[in-house]
Amino acid sequence: MINQQRRRLLESRVWPHVQTPAQYVGGERNIVVKDHRQLRGRLCLGFPDAYTIGMSHHGLQVLYSLMNRRDDWCAERVFTPWPDMESLLRKHEIPLYSLETFTSLADFDVIGLSLQYEISSPNVLTMIDLGGLPLESVDRTMADPLLVAGGPCCQNPEPMADYFDVMIMGDGEPALPEICDLWIELRERYRRDDGTFAGGDEGRRQREEAVAEIAQKLAYAYVPRFYQPEYESNRIVSLSRTRDDVPATIAPSVISDLDGIPLPTSPIVPYIECVHDRIAIEIMRGCPHLCRFCQSTVIKRPLRIREVDTIVDAAIESYRNTGYNEISVLSLSSSDYPHFAPLIHRLHEVFRPLGVNISVPSLRVNDQLRTLPQLIGNDRRSSLTLAPEVARDDMREQIRKKIKNSDLIEGCRVAFQNNYEAVKLYFMCGLPGERPVDLDGIVDLAEEIATVGKQVKGRYPRVTASVSNFVPKAHTPYQWNGMQRREYFKWAHKYLWSRRKIRSVNIKCHDIETSLLEGVLSRGDRRTGKVVRLAWERGARMDGWTEYLDPQRWWSAIEDAGLDVERQVHDKYEMMDKLPWDHVNVKFGRAYLEKEQGRATVQLAAMADAT
């Protein structure tokens, strides 16, 4: 049921005049196109970023496959258009549409957006507005689709709370079908005999009652309109319910049996090159480690695994359905998968004769790393990517990432012996209690690995130390800490560069303004939503891409919205203070985080005088 009239208009007026039109035309291999007239419900899965990013996101493929297995629902896709495409859509009054059937977003029953990166928040407003929906949830009626958010940015839902009807916490696979079915029941309840819905105040009241029922029935569904924040001294002090029949706190949706959730074995194959052009297979969800800085390890608990046979069978079927020449096994810490060696042996046994490479990102630095490069193998010139995070043992004790430099260095030695050409190391700058010696360690470790590479290969290999600016995230033990200021990061980056001696070692520091804005958006309360809207109204588009980001536009919006960045981002919270995201529950809860923060504070005091 393709909207051929809209497609012809796009072909004649729009696609010939935009860059990379293939990202807007649909029709890729393995897409699913259904007749809407034969369905109970219509879902559009959106990703608020460019097609090349969204099509590389494994979660989108998982949910697309999951919902399209059902005979009574369709799942289609939409991404944020680039500014040239947005301009032409507005000029010709063409709504933002799905790639499968060219259906306007406003004509779906449910729209689900995955919020992965705070800086991309204005893209959400672009999609809502271009799709033909009122920007704020309170202005919608039952005639409008249910706008649902999921993803890691929902762990602090407040900055985007005004724009979504429902925000899902936890795993999407069990939650999305349930919320879709419930919404269809509610829509049918309020549908008039002629098939239409009430408008105006009546329609808005009906929608309010409908989303209230979602909040009552689904423990993981946060409906922000029923929660009213109160502020004192530029900080949130309470979040009061406006009706007693909605829950005080929100529990995460959790898959108990990951192996029982089918993997997508016919992933969509894009026409254009994307960030990740390969088959992705999730082998494990969660992480066995409890690093204090890491939000993912907290929100993805408990640890769940897939069986080796499940993974290999899915990889074989995916290869047959796509023809990709690389398979990537995904998890937060792939080498901690309990059957890692048998899995890699099986994958090599099946795919090496076919010329298919096996990629293993997210390797943990431990004694196993000394043998991993031999196990993984490397028939191509490639880079080994590792995340030591910090370079000194006492700081590792502080962040609870218990690894040894000796394991890291010997693992890199074995990698160089097995045809690896480069090493990329991820570090953080600005952690609580950071000292100059911690920055020294980053450069020293990178240069020691380069020296080991020269011993093995006869020349210095490329070693990149990628240094991110630490943002204390919600639901981590560091959530009470303030973020370092601009002046500190400028000094630290300059200091790191001044310590470098080996030319093949590159110190790549993340952009400071981007990191500070991430701090504003990830640590904000509901007032931050006004900043997002102001930035969007003033032209913020695709700000996750460096060439489009205008930091001054954001800082002006922050000032005009009256946001106190010092209080929101840089000042620490006391342990008993109310946090903007306290109403969202995680595994182990706030008591565990308080205990870990207390331990970290004691360790910091012991570290303070170390050199």
Side-chain angles (χ1 to χ4, degrees), residues 251-271:
S253 163
V254 178
I255 297 170
S256 56
D257 178 19
L258 184 66
D259 199 53
I261 300 292
L263 282 157
T265 53
S266 294
I268 299 167
V269 183
Y271 284 137

Side-chain angles (χ1 to χ4, degrees), residues 42-56:
R42 300 156 297 170
L43 165 69
C44 194
L45 293 169
F47 197 92
D49 210 321
Y51 176 95
T52 54
I53 302 292
M55 284 304 299
S56 301

Side-chain angles (χ1 to χ4, degrees), residues 398-472:
Q398 157 66 206
I399 69 172
R400 283 202 67 170
K401 185 154 190 171
K402 299 176 182 179
I403 64 175
K404 297 177 182 178
N405 282 350
S406 56
D407 292 328
L408 174 64
I409 292 164
E410 287 309 305
C412 291
R413 185 189 302 277
V414 175
F416 292 133
Q417 291 168 348
N418 282 269
N419 203 36
Y420 283 85
E421 294 288 317
V423 172
K424 186 171 186 179
L425 305 167
Y426 285 104
F427 293 99
M428 288 182 292
C429 164
L431 282 159
E434 183 172 83
R435 307 148 299 178
V437 292
D438 297 303
L439 302 177
D440 293 339
I442 290 173
V443 182
D444 293 343
L445 182 56
E447 293 193 338
E448 187 170 358
I449 290 169
T451 302
V452 167
K454 185 179 181 183
Q455 293 169 359
V456 173
K457 305 180 83 67
R459 55 180 171 79
Y460 283 120
R462 286 180 294 109
V463 178
T464 301
S466 180
V467 183
S468 63
N469 306 307
F470 176 65
V471 180

